[in-house]
């Protein structure tokens, strides 16, 4: 089963995922409300949600300034799941995947370029252009994950830190029956196979 918010998926400009995968699997997708998973456990792709939440404070995060806005935004979605009777289980990335070292270097360069463009646009008074570039310059760091973990602990929300990226851990939890649905923003999670994927919650 593949559940998707089609409107959000179609207008998404998110770089995460596999190009043209969503149109390919569209026939297998259905639009559902989160309440369809009442009394179920949702394994949440934590870093995908963190990237989405970072849009609320991209300037601060890209500049390395302290902010808790992304945690507040993340936990609003947690509260929404709980309000609909869904048990959240957050899965976070662990160590960098050695096989993706070159990819990570390219991403780091791209973020640095976006940061430079953002600073230049802000200095020129082009705030809208700057904010768009700051959004591309954000790097979700271990410190950001730690901030989230502290809040999850405070709330008693279960979480798992995967050995490497969350993809395989999410798939394992679902296949082992420890999660009924996986919630993600990243289409690259789909090929790992799960009983159900909730895309673009």
């Amino acid at each position: 089963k593949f559940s998707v918010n089609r409107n959000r998926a179609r207008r998404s400009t998110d770089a995460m995922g596999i190009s043209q995968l969503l149109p390919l699997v569209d026939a297998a997708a259905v639009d559902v409300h989160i309440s369809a998973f009442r009394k179920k456990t949702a394994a949440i792709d934590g870093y995908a949600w963190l990237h989405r939440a970072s849009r609320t404070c991209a300037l601060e995060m890209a500049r390395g300034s302290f902010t808790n806005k992304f945690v507040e935004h993340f936990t609003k979605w947690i509260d929404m799941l709980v309000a609909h009777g869904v048990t959240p289980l957050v899965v976070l990335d662990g160590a960098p995947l050695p096989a993706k070292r070159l990819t990570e270097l390219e991403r780091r360069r791209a973020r640095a370029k976006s940061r430079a463009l953002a600073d230049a646009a802000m200095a020129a008074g082009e705030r809208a252009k700057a904010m768009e570039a700051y959004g591309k310059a954000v790097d979700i760091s271990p410190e950001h994950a730690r901030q989230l973990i502290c809040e999850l602990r405070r709330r008693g929300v279960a979480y798992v830190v995967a050995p490497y990226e969350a993809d395989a851990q999410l798939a394992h939890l679902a296949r082992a029956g420890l999660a009924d649905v996986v919630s993600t923003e990243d289409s690259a999670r789909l090929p790992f196979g799960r009983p159900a994927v909730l895309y673009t919650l």
Side-chain angles (χ1 to χ4, degrees), residues 9 27 32 39 41 48 67 70 100 110 117 132 139 141 166 170-171 186 195:
V32 297
K39 297 185 179 179
T41 295
T67 179
F70 66 94
K100 294 181 71 174
L117 289 171
E132 181 179 352
D139 180 24
S141 69
L170 289 161
D186 188 346

Side-chain angles (χ1 to χ4, degrees), residues 48-87:
W49 275 27
L50 280 170
H51 276 285
R52 184 173 159 193
S54 73
R55 296 170 194 165
T56 63
C57 49
L59 186 149
E60 295 96 325
M61 293 179 76
R63 287 181 169 179
S65 304
F66 177 81
T67 179
N68 210 43
K69 290 179 185 176
F70 66 94
V71 174
E72 294 171 0
H73 207 71
F74 191 109
T75 52
K76 283 181 182 178
W77 298 324
I78 292 290
D79 290 342
M80 182 267 295
L81 292 178
V82 172
H84 286 288
V86 180
T87 301

Side-chain angles (χ1 to χ4, degrees), residues 167-187:
D167 304 55
Q169 190 72 48
L170 289 161
H172 171 72
L173 290 167
R175 289 172 180 169
L178 299 172
D180 303 290
V181 61
V182 169
S183 176
T184 186
E185 303 287 304
D186 188 346
S187 63

Side-chain angles (χ1 to χ4, degrees), residues 1-4 30 32-45 49 81 85-91 169-184 189-190 193-201:
K1 288 184 282 187
F2 172 50
S3 305
V4 62
V30 292
V32 297
H33 189 271
I34 191 62
S35 59
F37 299 102
R38 184 176 299 279
K39 297 185 179 179
K40 305 286 187 182
T41 295
I44 296 158
D45 183 349
W49 275 27
L81 292 178
V86 180
T87 301
L89 170 56
V90 179
V91 181
Q169 190 72 48
L170 289 161
H172 171 72
L173 290 167
R175 289 172 180 169
L178 299 172
D180 303 290
V181 61
V182 169
S183 176
T184 186
R189 306 296 193 238
L190 299 178
R194 284 101 183 185
V197 176
L198 184 63
Y199 188 73
T200 61
L201 176 65

